[in-house]
Amino acid sequence: MDELSQVIEKVKASLDLDFKDGLALMESKNLSLIGALADYVRRTTVGDRVMFVSNCHINYTNVCTSKCWFCAYFREEGQDGAFTLSTDEIMQKAEWASKMGATELHIVGSLNPALQFEYYEELLSRLHEKYPSMSLKAFTAVEIAYLADTTGMVEKEVLMRLKKAGLTSLPGGGGEIFNEIIRKRLCPGKISGEKWLEVMETAHNLGIKSNATMLYGHIETPGDIVDHIMRIRELQAKTGGFQSFIPLSFHPDNTELQKNGLVKFAPTGFDDLKMIAVSRLLLNGYVNNIKTYWVMVGEKLAQVALHYGANDMDGTVMEEKITHAAGGMTAEYTPKERLVHLIKNAGKVPVERTANYEVVKVYE
Ligand code: V47
């Protein structure tokens, strides 16, 4: 309690928490107190509404040059299980998603040298033409930087062309952990944290909103977590372009981190709830929506997270490959009715939203 007394006072006075406060939270084992503080902040800022979206994840390829040590999803070209979808195949998936009631397509892949820029542009234009009201939340900052690198365009041009083709917003993937030393060990082939933030800033300045993520529970330190969240906060103070923050719970199975004995255990339920609560507390006044991603933490813990600072449950998802390649045991699809039930059962008001957080329906 003592170590958190300053944090309590600051939360009561609605003051920004600083790095030292973040560390005190990370190092405390008083989860019920941290959760209560985060729940208080959630209640007094965004209230009892809990958002979700009817969405469908589409992974267009898993062939990747990046070879991140935390990733079990990627394959090398020609390797067993490697795939690249044609735009026709993606259109078929979109048709199915649309029939299932999706209002958002979450489209991400990997860094595949065989795909030309025209593929990305054509994909968005075809989707946008056929489903003009569908939100296309597509391509992480890492994919955008890769497209700039491989085409010789600057990121701004890549983003402008994709926006013109129908891009609605950017998902938050690829943030991982910004600390350069840890990041180099986790994903030496990936853009730096600084570059990730730079791409997001460019997108925000073009009116393209995005999400932000952080991968936790591997080889990072508590200080790295606080540093990562603070850097998101700094950029948000400049652009206001982040719509949500999503802490991602590391799944170790089939990853190099696990194979090389660097990570033995996945984050625990304690870690998952604490990460939500710490995110809410540090981002208070900056990012309103803290998302609990049920695919990674499980439906039951995601529901409990609604009492630890989360106010968003992501969505129906429909198809998920990244977490499941790394040992994820959750379903790939949670119907809308079930999300509504989970949220109501937690004593909250379910609100279906669009990708850009417009309200579709309030389930009073
Ligand atoms: O970028 C990769 C992470 C991300 C593993 O923006 C892993 O609305 C855990 O970004 N264990 C993809 N995580 C998922 C993602 C996301 C999910 C839901 C919503 C949104 C959004 C974004 O998953 C990757 C990487 O950071 N990841 N491997 C793993 N083994």
Side-chain angles (χ1 to χ4, degrees):
M1 175 85 173
D2 264 1
E3 78 275 10
L4 291 179
S5 51
Q6 191 185 337
V7 173
I8 298 170
E9 290 314 311
K10 281 187 165 176
V11 169
K12 282 203 300 205
S14 296
L15 295 173
D16 283 357
L17 299 183
D18 60 20
F19 188 88
K20 200 166 130 265
D21 301 322
L23 262 192
L25 286 165
M26 286 302 297
E27 274 157 12
S28 166
K29 289 281 178 193
N30 198 341
L31 181 60
S32 42
L33 173 59
I34 298 169
L37 285 173
D39 196 46
Y40 165 79
V41 170
R42 191 267 315 146
R43 194 169 57 250
T44 52
T45 52
V46 296
D48 279 335
R49 287 183 167 199
V50 172
M51 308 280 203
F52 69 93
V53 61
S54 285
N55 66 349
C56 177
H57 284 216
I58 298 180
N59 299 115
Y60 59 92
T61 183
N62 65 349
V63 175
C64 193
T65 55
S66 191
K67 304 186 174 67
C68 301
W69 275 45
F70 56 78
C71 180
Y73 163 76
F74 81 87
R75 293 289 179 274
E76 300 204 33
E77 182 65 65
Q79 194 186 342
D80 244 15
F83 74 87
T84 301
L85 301 182
S86 65
T87 49
D88 282 346
E89 285 169 316
I90 298 175
M91 291 306 288
Q92 280 166 27
K93 281 186 185 285
E95 180 60 22
W96 171 73
S98 165
K99 288 207 171 107
M100 297 282 283
T103 60
E104 169 192 284
L105 298 180
H106 173 132
I107 307 171
V108 295
S110 47
L111 311 185
N112 184 342
L115 295 174
Q116 306 303 308
F117 186 68
E118 290 65 36
Y119 169 92
Y120 297 83
E121 232 174 8
E122 185 197 313
L123 173 60
L124 291 179
S125 331
R126 285 185 70 183
L127 287 169
H128 186 56
E129 198 178 314
K130 180 111 195 254
Y131 310 102
S133 61
M134 182 83 84
S135 294
L136 304 176
K137 186 181 74 177
F139 314 130
T140 64
V142 178
E143 286 156 287
I144 300 297
Y146 181 71
L147 287 174
D149 204 34
T150 50
T151 58
M153 287 188 271
V154 291
E155 280 93 17
K156 186 173 175 189
E157 201 179 343
V158 170
L159 285 162
M160 277 164 59
R161 281 179 64 172
L162 295 179
K163 187 179 180 193
K164 196 159 168 244
L167 179 76
T168 310
S169 60
L170 299 184
E176 324 312 356
I177 273 285
F178 294 146
N179 174 321
E180 281 313 310
I181 296 168
I182 300 295
R183 195 175 179 92
K184 282 229 162 71
R185 290 173 67 195
L186 279 182
C187 43
K190 197 169 238 167
I191 55 169
S192 66
E194 226 163 86
K195 184 73 185 177
W196 186 95
L197 288 162
E198 200 184 299
V199 175
M200 287 305 193
E201 184 169 359
T202 307
H204 296 171
N205 289 338
L206 289 170
I208 303 168
K209 301 268 185 191
S210 77
N211 296 329
T213 60
M214 172 185 68
L215 183 66
Y216 65 89
H218 39 86
I219 53 170
E220 84 286 1
T221 66
D224 297 332
I225 297 280
V226 180
D227 167 68
H228 186 99
I229 301 177
M230 288 303 193
R231 284 162 79 174
I232 295 287
R233 191 169 101 171
E234 252 169 57
L235 180 56
Q236 182 72 342
K238 253 169 110 177
T239 67
F242 289 123
Q243 308 200 96
S244 73
F245 182 71
I246 317 153
L248 299 175
S249 185
F250 177 55
H251 283 54
D253 288 3
N254 312 312
T255 66
E256 287 302 314
L257 284 176
Q258 188 193 55
K259 287 180 203 159
N260 287 278
L262 291 172
V263 175
K264 208 161 156 195
F265 299 113
T268 61
F270 187 95
D271 300 325
D272 292 335
L273 290 178
K274 193 160 144 187
M275 218 47 65
I276 288 288
V278 170
S279 303
R280 168 64 69 192
L281 289 167
L282 293 181
L283 291 171
N284 183 23
Y286 295 87
V287 182
N288 278 339
N289 302 305
I290 304 297
K291 198 189 269 192
T292 175
Y293 186 36
W294 63 264
V295 171
M296 287 193 188
V297 301
E299 281 179 12
K300 289 187 180 184
L301 200 66
Q303 187 193 31
V304 176
L306 303 180
H307 285 263
Y308 283 75
N311 72 318
D312 191 298
M313 279 196 82
D314 194 65
T316 49
V317 179
M318 297 188 197
E319 241 192 38
E320 206 285 333
K321 295 194 191 318
I322 297 170
T323 317
H324 288 83
M329 303 287 277
T330 48
E332 287 189 62
Y333 171 48
T334 285
K336 198 151 82 170
E337 296 67 36
R338 184 157 176 77
L339 287 173
V340 168
H341 169 68
L342 289 169
I343 296 167
K344 276 194 174 167
N345 181 256
K348 312 285 181 198
V349 181
V351 176
E352 185 176 348
R353 61 164 174 84
T354 64
N356 276 344
Y357 284 83
E358 292 117 357
V359 171
V360 175
K361 182 172 175 183
V362 182
Y363 294 77
E364 293 290 2

